[in-house]
Amino acid sequence: MKKIVFIMSLLWIGMAATAQEHHKHHYNHEHPSDSTDVFYRHLKLNELTVTGVTGDTKLKHSTAPISIVSGKELRQTTSTNIIDAIAHQPGVSQITTGSGISKPIIRGLGYNRIIVMNEGIRQEGQQWGDEHGIEIDAQNVNSVEILKGPASLMYGSDAMAGVLILHGSPIQPEGEMKASISTEYQTNNGLFDYSLNFAGNQKGFVWDARFSDKYAHAYKNKYDGYVPGSQFSERAGRLMIGLNKHWGHTHLTWTAFHQTPSIVEGERDEATGELVRGEGFTDHGYGKTLPFQQIKHYKAVWDNSLNLPKGWLKAIIGYQQNRRQEFEESEDEYELYFKLHTITYDVRYLTQEFNGWKMAGGINGMWQQSLNLGEESLIPEYKLFDFGAYATVSKTLKDFTLNGGLRFDHRHLDFHSRNFSGVTGSIGAVWNASEHLNVRLNIARGFRAPNMSELGSDGIHEGTIRYEMGNPDLKPEYSWQADLGLDFTSKYVSAQVALFANRIENYIFAKRIDLVKEEGFRTYEYTQGDARLLGFEVGIDFHPIHSLHIQNTFSYVDAQQMHAPEDAKYLPMTPAPRWTSELKYELTHHGHTMLNNAYVALGLECYLAQNHYYKVDDTETRTPSYTLISLSAGTDLNIRHKKMAEIYITAENLLNRAYQNHLSRLKYCDINNVTGRQGVYNMGRNVVFKVIVPIQF
């Protein structure tokens, strides 16, 4: 297998990155038809609209590197949460703790360097922790914009690595109502979920309601068997009501997200090497076992847009409450209880295009308070106030679009009365050389204030199996990033190349130190130094005939600490180089048969060995290469020319490969004394069945 992968890599090296963009769409609109002609779909690439820069902008005029993941692609993807669903996109990875908790990584950077936007506001759920996931129902996400790098000025501190914009379903057209029922089952961890949705628009009164439920028992692999503590449950609800009128819109949205993930400790029996099972744990049991977390996230958002003669005035205010409890010894008494209150505000004005000019400006920020209500306190209580102001301008010429702007941010943290300020900016250009070729160049300045975990943590992170110590003297991070991209589309081939170089001052990371603060746990302390990250994503989508697609992507990032000794040269938590390939054949296309838009696909995902890791005091270890193979099929079920259902079947890790992802926290669990292997392995073979039933009124 290694020889096959090596030969194919030589043949296809240089083919990767954002090939998926050629099957994507405006975040608020599906393609006119999922069975539209291939050539038409590729030509429409340049007409796609994105929102991540300065309001609605055609993708061909965006100087920033942006990828779009469509609703169709999300529905065809196997995942256990929304970050897992997009983590296979070029340049995007995930830090995992079991199967229910995923944190996004963009081009080697994560944690508070990425902002996740949902319902129009930034998601705030104590994302500083490795064992803290994103509290968002994947069923509520209709499409995703992935903004790579600090190229957008609309988000401020914490957007240094990029922004994930999670869009909900579009508002229904006037006079229409629709409902849907979806369900899914996964064989490996017994995951079962269902989701009910009802939305409509009657004389400008709009609504969208959803309820989702999800359960999973422990996952398994051929080395560890069933992994105790990897089971979880999840329940979520959403209600949006509002008005859409000629003057604009006003929408009020409420969401609730409850999740109960057990915690994988990875402890082993010294004699047998088997994972220790907690009291009450069974292989197929869906109930929680100690230790576990109980997470509740509530959100209320008031979104307003006013149509003015020469532009739009938008105002969004949101309130979020995050409750995170950790139970270690008893199901009735929590040891940790974080309660986080967040108020976000965003007011902006965007002009209509006049003589090729577009301008935008605004202010945004947040107020935040974190309380410790448990017996243990991992980080101190704190209050935070954030303020930012920005202005951007773009000019479209015949074949060129120029874009630039400035932003000022100020953050006050009452911990030691710290204040952090930063001035950021970006300037870029895109050359539409022809109908088929675009060339982009962008240079941006990023800023990030250290978070409370980095400044003041002092305690055991159960989910990460380590004791963490903060550093109150940390300075803010500043970065310079340059991006160069090329997009080419034609009738038979579409290809992209994206190069980036990122220089970060005062890069903050946790390193292991030779100090025992708590028996059985390794001790880590936050430190900082200058860093540089270089990398690329390249890709190609080749469709020699109408129904056949051959897609390949390759992502690579080299992250180094500057002026450091050899064992501290590489930054921790850097994703391994990844090559993905898919051979897809469309059996029926643009037809009126019972099985419409039917396809079969063979996928390959190859992670090369990660030999560049932070070696000091065994903070990290080398990760060998591995290859995963998948097989999938899907179709629309039509009866009397009306779509009655979407059906998808996917077999992930078809060969049941035992592997450890370099970004898996479970890689550093106990050593198996019998086999000599360290840590817990990722999920084995998993067959997924998914059905979506639309109901049109």
Side-chain angles (χ1 to χ4, degrees), residues 10-308:
L10 291 178
L11 290 175
W12 285 338
I13 195 77
M15 298 185 285
T18 52
Q20 75 280 0
E21 291 184 8
H22 300 280
H23 302 282
K24 311 299 190 331
H25 51 76
H26 184 310
Y27 74 94
N28 261 352
H29 298 88
E30 292 284 354
H31 276 307
S33 168
D34 286 327
S35 58
T36 307
D37 180 79
V38 172
F39 184 39
Y40 175 78
R41 292 206 304 258
H42 285 277
L43 288 180
K44 291 295 289 182
L45 171 68
N46 287 336
E47 303 305 315
L48 302 184
T49 303
V50 295
T51 63
V53 251
T54 54
D56 291 355
T57 303
K58 287 185 178 180
L59 189 58
K60 70 176 182 179
H61 294 154
S62 172
T63 62
I66 298 179
S67 301
I68 305 173
V69 186
S70 71
K72 188 75 171 178
E73 186 170 358
L74 289 174
R75 295 193 295 274
Q76 294 175 355
T77 300
T78 297
S79 66
T80 57
N81 56 70
I82 185 57
I83 301 303
D84 187 27
I86 63 176
H88 304 283
Q89 301 296 317
V92 182
S93 307
Q94 61 177 327
I95 295 175
T96 59
T97 307
S99 59
I101 298 175
S102 299
K103 301 180 67 63
I105 296 288
I106 297 179
R107 291 177 168 178
L109 299 175
Y111 300 91
N112 284 73
R113 299 180 184 90
I114 295 175
I115 287 180
V116 177
M117 298 290 295
N118 179 242
E119 307 292 357
I121 66 173
R122 56 189 290 165
Q123 179 79 7
E124 287 293 321
Q126 305 179 62
Q127 57 269 30
W128 46 267
D130 288 310
E131 74 280 29
H132 301 174
I134 304 297
E135 305 88 349
I136 295 172
D137 178 16
Q139 301 293 339
N140 276 327
V141 180
N142 184 65
S143 63
V144 182
E145 285 182 42
I146 304 171
L147 176 61
K148 302 170 185 175
S152 176
L153 302 172
M154 297 168 64
Y155 307 101
S157 177
D158 302 348
M160 175 177 287
V163 181
L164 298 178
I165 307 175
L166 311 182
H167 294 293
S169 298
I171 300 297
Q172 294 300 299
E174 168 65 42
E176 290 192 11
M177 295 186 295
K178 77 166 187 177
S180 68
I181 303 171
S182 64
T183 186
E184 177 180 1
Y185 178 73
Q186 301 186 11
T187 60
N188 186 288
N189 60 352
L191 185 149
F192 171 76
D193 71 18
Y194 63 90
S195 185
L196 312 174
N197 176 241
F198 179 47
N201 183 342
Q202 297 295 310
K203 298 181 180 180
F205 175 70
V206 298
W207 72 90
D208 195 334
R210 181 180 291 277
F211 176 80
S212 302
D213 220 355
K214 181 186 296 183
Y215 303 91
H217 61 63
Y219 77 83
K220 63 181 177 180
N221 60 65
K222 69 178 184 180
Y223 284 167
D224 302 312
Y226 286 93
V227 178
S230 60
Q231 67 271 29
F232 67 95
S233 62
E234 187 177 297
R235 179 168 291 175
R238 178 181 186 265
L239 174 64
M240 183 279 291
I241 58 174
L243 293 174
N244 275 38
K245 298 292 185 178
H246 65 278
W247 46 262
H249 74 250
T250 179
H251 298 159
L252 187 59
T253 303
W254 298 270
T255 65
F257 180 93
H258 291 184
Q259 187 184 53
T260 305
S262 295
I263 297 176
V264 180
E265 294 187 298
E267 296 179 350
R268 295 185 180 273
D269 184 283
E270 292 186 2
T272 66
E274 294 184 357
L275 291 168
V276 175
R277 299 178 171 222
E279 183 178 349
F281 174 80
T282 58
D283 291 347
H284 300 92
Y286 286 87
K288 58 183 180 288
T289 57
L290 292 168
F292 67 88
Q293 297 183 61
Q294 188 164 281
I295 302 156
K296 297 180 179 179
H297 193 92
Y298 304 100
K299 185 186 303 180
V301 180
W302 188 24
D303 181 354
N304 303 275
S305 180
L306 183 63
N307 298 333
L308 300 177

Side-chain angles (χ1 to χ4, degrees), residues 82 235 290 334 363 403 467 478:
I82 185 57
R235 179 168 291 175
L290 292 168
Y334 48 77
I363 58 172
N403 187 293
Y467 191 104
Y478 295 94

Side-chain angles (χ1 to χ4, degrees), residues 96-98 110 141 188 203 233 258 298 323 362 370 373 405 424 463 465 486 488 521 571-572 603 631-632 691:
T96 59
T97 307
V141 180
N188 186 288
K203 298 181 180 180
S233 62
H258 291 184
Y298 304 100
R323 305 177 187 177
S370 180
L373 305 179
T424 57
I465 321 165
L486 183 148
F488 174 79
F521 293 87
L571 297 181
L631 186 64
S632 61
V691 178

